[in-house]
Amino acid sequence: MSIKMKLSPTTVASEPASPTKSEGKEMEVASELDSPTLHGENIGLLERGLKTMLSIRKSKRSLKKEKEQEGTGTLRKKRLSFLSSKSNEENKTTVPNDLEEVVDTIETEPIEGKPLSVMEINELIQKQKLLEAFASIKYMEDETIAERDADKYKDNPQEFVRKTKDVDLLYNSIKDMIQSIVVGTLEHPTVEEATLSSLVTLIAREEAAHPNAGSAPGSDLLGSPRRWREEWREAINESARKRVLRVPLASKEEESSWLDIHLCFLQKHLSEDLLKIKLSVKKCYPEEYQVCDIYVEAFHKAIASHLQDLSQRVLEFNELYSLLDWVANTYRSELFLGHPDLKPEVKTENLSLLLTPADWDRLKNDYITSVKGKIKSYFGNILTLEVTEKWEKEVHPEVEDNLYHSSLSFDIQTIIGEHMKISGAISKSLKAKTLELCLAELHEFIPRFGEEFMEWNAAHDSPVFVPYFAAYTNSFHHLVSGLETVFKVNTEELQKILASLTKNFRNMFLNKLRTKTQPLLKKILTKDWILATEKPDSLAAAVSQFSKHLQHTRQPLGQELLRHVHKYVVREYIVQVIKPRRKMNRETRQQVSERMSQEAKILNKVFIDQGSDSDWLLPALHHIANITGEKKKDRIKEHVKELSQDYPDIRKEHILAILMLRGLGYTRRAAIFRQSFHRAPECPDSRGENTLFDEIDVSAVISCF
């Protein structure tokens, strides 16, 4: 790059100027440069003063010394030509469009004069008069290079080292001031547009003055590029880092929602910074600086580093979710970087990942582990509430649509649904993992819940056992249906678990029924029973306390259980009837027959009223009652024939035991059996599921024959 020169025709003064006056003149000129109203007048005054002082110095030089440093003086004039534009632009706020425009402003009239001292230059830097300071440093640098090339420091290398260090220190002071100005840009309420515009000019002048991108010759930095644009970028990075770290961050002890609050502040403060950059900072720089992009990238890196530090902490479930959700959903959304007010200057499409894949996966794994503990805790709370609020207080379940209702299924599905929803908002893979672990925890919880329920009932023998047995059975059915339809889950394994649990519940139900009914069943054919001391509906009332709840159980389970109860009562009644006893006289047999028929009618009515469809059980007790009370022995075989036809599963020992109840001898019993039972084997297919006598053990009866 060539620098145009125009030599001034100003005559040389004959009298040397006083040093004091010269220094005062320089300081006066320098101070007046700060006033824009005296801009043109100051330029002329500065030029005339500097030319006069330079002429006085040259007039005192010897001709020999002048010749020796002819090259140095010539170069100095060329370098000083760079200075004349500094005052002209120190106070301008107009931003040059590109580097060529800045270079054009450098090609102005040269100025000759005494350079400022290191201290004076440093004062200019501290006052942020960077263009003026740079011009003086550049003059000092060029002079030192010229003197080095002329071997002036051959005999005094220490002087060269001192001057080189002075130049380097002054350049570093400017660099530090550049960083200070950039870092302070976002910290002040308003943007110093003149300062930033001057900064752009300064960087451009340095780049024009040091066009060589390579290393400077020799071991020193004289004449080498200072790369202030890179320092400017680094200062932006440092500014962003400080702004991020300055966002309020409370401790967990001070505020339980510390991370939510911090991320909210981070979003608010940095959004304000970015809006300020778009509206005020950007216009102070040429387009080629891409200010918004550089600031966004700087903030992005600062936030990424900050979040990485936060992610290294021991975070709880809510904190892990807040961090993952902010990264996945908030950061690039309209709530932050994607806000309409920041468009189109703030672009997010080219930003790198806010968290590294390793950090992201680690956070997700920590989240899954935390969710597992959370789900286990939720399920445990469900069980605790069932025990304390329902079982211990013996609160009967509500009835909805004629079914006992439990919130168990709703609570479980709500927990699963909420966690799937929030995890799905972060990523599909996290949603799938959440569902997977929820099901795993559910498969552990259901058996634990059933065991707790049965253990509690065994210890308390509570009247709410049967209603809650029905309510939980209904709830389990609803749970399976909901998981299949809402969550699209394969419930095969869960159904196996629930089937086993339901079977255990049913067995406990039947055991409790047996416990309640056995004392009443054992009274059958006793003296008090025959004499009707016991009410005929006492057994039916006891059974009804259990079976009435089954009509509020979801079908088909309710109907199946009612069949079990109906069959159990009839079967156990028969077992009590056919037990070997002493012979009864005719009157007693009539009383037994009438009492048996009466109770059979009551029992049958109870079961039918409750919805039992086991009407095939109705004749059993009536047939036995008819056989027991029949006065004519010849008609007994007709009753036996009807009994064997209605119940094909009846065996010889059953018929002989019933005939013994009638008081017949062995020979008569055997004859009746031969005459009435020969058709039973002809109908083996008629048994099916309706088997009654197959489940009655009469070994004790057989041993008496």
Side-chain angles (χ1 to χ4, degrees):
M1 178 185 67
S2 63
I3 302 180
K4 298 179 182 179
M5 298 178 60
K6 294 182 180 179
L7 298 178
S8 174
T10 306
T11 58
V12 179
S14 59
E15 291 293 329
S18 166
T20 305
K21 291 182 179 180
S22 295
E23 292 177 6
K25 186 74 171 180
E26 288 177 346
M27 296 302 295
E28 181 181 352
V29 171
S31 63
E32 288 178 352
L33 284 174
D34 293 331
S35 174
T37 59
L38 300 177
H39 189 270
E41 183 180 347
N42 289 339
I43 291 296
L45 180 59
L46 177 63
E47 290 180 357
R48 289 193 296 274
L50 290 177
K51 289 175 182 177
T52 300
M53 287 185 287
L54 184 57
S55 298
I56 292 171
R57 292 179 62 193
K58 291 182 68 176
S59 66
K60 292 184 178 182
R61 294 174 183 169
S62 65
L63 182 59
K64 181 179 178 181
K65 191 171 184 179
E66 201 171 56
K67 288 182 178 179
E68 289 177 352
Q69 300 198 8
E70 183 178 359
T72 303
T74 303
L75 179 59
R76 183 180 303 167
K77 289 180 181 180
K78 292 182 178 179
R79 296 298 185 185
L80 284 173
S81 68
F82 176 75
L83 311 183
S84 62
S85 62
K86 62 180 176 61
S87 299
N88 228 3
E89 300 177 15
E90 188 79 50
N91 297 293
K92 287 187 178 180
T93 59
T94 303
V95 182
N97 292 326
D98 51 33
L99 187 57
E100 291 183 4
E101 191 172 320
V102 175
V103 173
D104 288 342
T105 65
I106 297 174
E107 299 176 351
T108 56
E109 185 176 351
I111 300 175
E112 298 177 351
K114 178 182 177 181
L116 301 178
S117 66
V118 172
M119 184 177 296
E120 290 171 331
I121 296 173
N122 192 58
E123 288 178 359
L124 291 176
I125 295 173
Q126 300 312 312
K127 293 178 181 178
Q128 294 189 2
K129 297 180 179 180
L130 302 184
L131 292 176
E132 189 175 347
F134 172 69
S136 295
I137 301 171
K138 187 65 176 65
Y139 175 86
M140 183 185 299
E141 180 181 37
D142 291 345
E143 183 179 54
T144 305
I145 291 173
E147 291 173 344
R148 179 197 64 187
D149 295 344
D151 291 332
K152 177 181 177 181
Y153 305 109
K154 184 176 181 180
D155 299 327
N156 189 11
Q158 291 81 6
E159 179 67 14
F160 174 72
V161 172
R162 183 188 64 78
K163 282 194 171 185
T164 301
K165 285 185 177 180
D166 286 344
V167 171
D168 194 46
L169 287 172
L170 289 170
Y171 273 145
N172 285 337
S173 293
I174 289 187
K175 178 195 73 174
D176 294 340
M177 185 55 67
I178 291 174
Q179 293 175 340
S180 177
I181 291 172
V182 174
V183 170
T185 297
L186 297 179
E187 297 183 0
H188 300 304
T190 58
V191 174
E192 297 288 342
E193 296 182 8
T195 301
L196 294 183
S197 299
S198 177
L199 187 64
V200 172
T201 303
L202 173 68
I203 293 173
R205 286 188 177 180
E206 190 281 327
E207 290 174 348
H210 298 126
N212 183 15
S215 300
S219 58
D220 56 76
L221 296 175
L222 291 176
S224 63
R226 294 292 164 168
R227 296 182 173 84
W228 284 343
R229 196 182 298 217
E230 294 179 10
E231 298 294 342
W232 169 79
R233 293 190 62 155
E234 187 56 38
I236 289 179
N237 289 333
E238 179 64 13
S239 173
R241 188 185 70 83
K242 288 184 176 180
R243 301 291 292 175
V244 169
L245 294 180
R246 199 170 295 173
V247 174
L249 178 60
S251 66
K252 186 179 296 187
E253 292 73 22
E254 294 172 335
E255 177 56 59
S256 58
S257 302
W258 64 275
L259 187 54
D260 279 325
I261 295 173
H262 175 65
L263 293 175
C264 185
F265 275 132
L266 188 65
Q267 175 183 335
K268 176 181 181 295
H269 292 331
L270 300 190
S271 293
E272 293 172 352
D273 283 348
L274 291 173
L275 188 61
K276 185 177 183 180
I277 292 164
K278 172 187 174 180
L279 299 178
S280 301
V281 177
K282 179 189 173 187
K283 62 185 179 182
C284 298
Y285 291 90
E287 188 67 28
E288 64 180 89
Y289 271 69
Q290 298 180 322
V291 172
C292 288
D293 292 342
I294 291 175
Y295 265 105
V296 170
E297 180 65 27
F299 275 114
H300 179 73
K301 290 190 294 186
I303 294 172
S305 177
H306 181 56
L307 294 186
Q308 186 180 38
D309 291 341
L310 291 177
S311 71
Q312 301 300 322
R313 300 189 180 192
V314 178
L315 301 177
E316 298 177 356
F317 168 77
N318 291 335
E319 296 159 355
L320 286 165
Y321 174 74
S322 295
L323 188 55
L324 288 168
D325 180 60
W326 196 83
V327 172
N329 300 316
T330 302
Y331 182 63
R332 297 173 190 260
S333 73
E334 291 189 355
L335 296 173
F336 192 9
L337 294 187
H339 196 283
D341 290 346
L342 298 176
K343 293 180 178 180
E345 284 78 6
V346 175
K347 306 176 184 66
T348 61
E349 57 271 15
N350 296 325
L351 293 177
S352 60
L353 294 174
L354 194 56
L355 292 175
T356 65
D359 285 336
W360 181 250
D361 289 341
R362 177 175 53 81
L363 282 175
K364 289 201 300 182
N365 290 335
D366 289 347
Y367 176 79
I368 287 296
T369 301
S370 184
V371 169
K372 183 176 182 179
K374 208 73 174 176
I375 296 297
K376 188 182 292 291
S377 175
Y378 286 149
F379 287 168
N381 290 339
I382 289 176
L383 178 55
T384 300
L385 288 174
E386 291 293 310
V387 173
T388 57
E389 298 299 320
K390 296 178 181 179
W391 305 348
E392 291 181 353
K393 294 181 179 180
E394 295 188 347
V395 177
H396 278 257
E398 298 178 354
V399 178
E400 293 183 5
D401 298 328
N402 200 39
L403 297 175
Y404 280 133
H405 172 74
S406 167
S407 62
L408 190 65
S409 172
F410 176 80
D411 293 341
I412 291 173
Q413 290 189 67
T414 299
I415 291 170
I416 295 175
E418 285 299 315
H419 280 82
M420 284 186 64
K421 179 181 178 181
I422 62 177
S423 61
I426 296 172
S427 73
K428 290 183 179 180
S429 63
L430 202 60
K431 180 180 181 181
K433 286 184 178 180
T434 299
L435 177 58
E436 183 180 339
L437 73 87
C438 284
L439 292 177
E441 288 300 316
L442 180 61
H443 292 168
E444 292 183 8
F445 169 71
I446 293 297
R448 180 160 58 96
F449 179 88
E451 290 173 5
E452 189 80 15
F453 180 54
M454 290 187 291
E455 288 175 5
W456 181 86
N457 179 70
H460 296 83
D461 190 27
S462 173
V464 299
F465 167 77
V466 180
Y468 272 107
F469 158 58
Y472 293 146
T473 301
N474 296 339
S475 192
F476 292 152
H477 180 276
H478 182 267
L479 177 62
V480 170
S481 176
L483 291 175
E484 289 177 343
T485 57
V486 178
F487 301 102
K488 312 301 179 185
V489 170
N490 183 344
T491 61
E492 184 176 350
E493 182 178 354
L494 179 61
Q495 289 190 59
K496 291 179 181 178
I497 295 173
L498 291 175
S500 175
L501 181 60
T502 301
K503 181 179 179 181
N504 293 336
F505 281 179
R506 184 186 66 191
N507 291 338
M508 175 164 276
F509 169 83
L510 294 175
N511 286 336
K512 289 180 72 67
L513 175 65
R514 186 177 295 110
T515 301
K516 296 295 184 182
T517 57
Q518 279 299 316
L520 295 173
L521 288 168
K522 287 180 179 180
K523 291 182 179 181
I524 294 175
L525 294 182
T526 62
K527 183 177 180 181
D528 290 338
W529 182 85
I530 294 172
L531 296 176
T533 303
E534 287 285 336
K535 294 182 179 180
D537 62 348
S538 57
L539 177 60
V543 172
S544 178
Q545 292 301 312
F546 280 77
S547 58
K548 70 179 181 180
H549 298 294
L550 299 180
Q551 60 186 313
H552 302 303
T553 305
R554 186 176 295 276
Q555 304 304 335
L557 182 62
Q559 191 64 250
E560 291 174 359
L561 283 171
L562 190 58
R563 293 189 194 113
H564 274 287
V565 174
H566 195 167
K567 186 177 183 179
Y568 164 79
V569 173
V570 173
R571 184 183 69 238
E572 292 300 312
Y573 199 107
I574 294 173
V575 168
Q576 294 298 322
V577 167
I578 64 177
K579 282 183 178 181
R581 288 182 174 84
R582 288 177 298 176
K583 284 188 177 182
M584 297 180 290
N585 57 34
R586 177 180 296 182
E587 183 180 356
T588 301
R589 289 198 299 271
Q590 288 297 317
Q591 290 176 326
V592 167
S593 177
E594 291 174 3
R595 178 66 183 257
M596 192 181 301
S597 296
Q598 185 182 22
E599 287 191 342
K601 290 179 181 178
I602 294 174
L603 287 171
N604 287 334
K605 184 178 186 306
V606 167
F607 286 120
I608 296 302
D609 289 346
Q610 290 178 356
S612 174
D613 58 358
S614 298
D615 51 356
W616 63 278
L617 292 169
L618 297 179
L621 296 180
H622 288 291
H623 287 321
I624 296 174
N626 290 337
I627 292 172
T628 303
E630 181 58 58
K631 298 177 181 179
K632 298 180 180 179
K633 294 182 179 180
D634 292 341
R635 295 190 59 184
I636 293 177
K637 61 182 178 181
E638 295 298 326
H639 295 306
V640 171
K641 186 183 297 184
E642 292 173 358
L643 176 62
S644 61
Q645 287 176 346
D646 288 340
Y647 301 95
D649 64 320
I650 196 169
R651 300 191 300 274
K652 177 181 178 180
E653 56 266 30
H654 296 129
I655 294 177
L656 294 178
I658 294 170
L659 292 175
M660 189 174 67
L661 176 65
R662 169 62 178 76
L664 298 176
Y666 178 78
T667 302
R668 186 65 174 169
R669 295 199 307 269
I672 292 175
F673 175 78
R674 286 194 300 272
Q675 295 172 9
S676 59
F677 194 68
H678 66 280
R679 293 183 180 179
E682 297 177 3
C683 306
D685 297 335
S686 62
R687 294 188 180 189
E689 296 181 356
N690 296 341
T691 59
L692 175 63
F693 288 91
D694 266 351
E695 301 173 19
I696 298 176
D697 183 11
V698 290
S699 57
V701 178
I702 296 175
S703 64
C704 296
F705 292 157

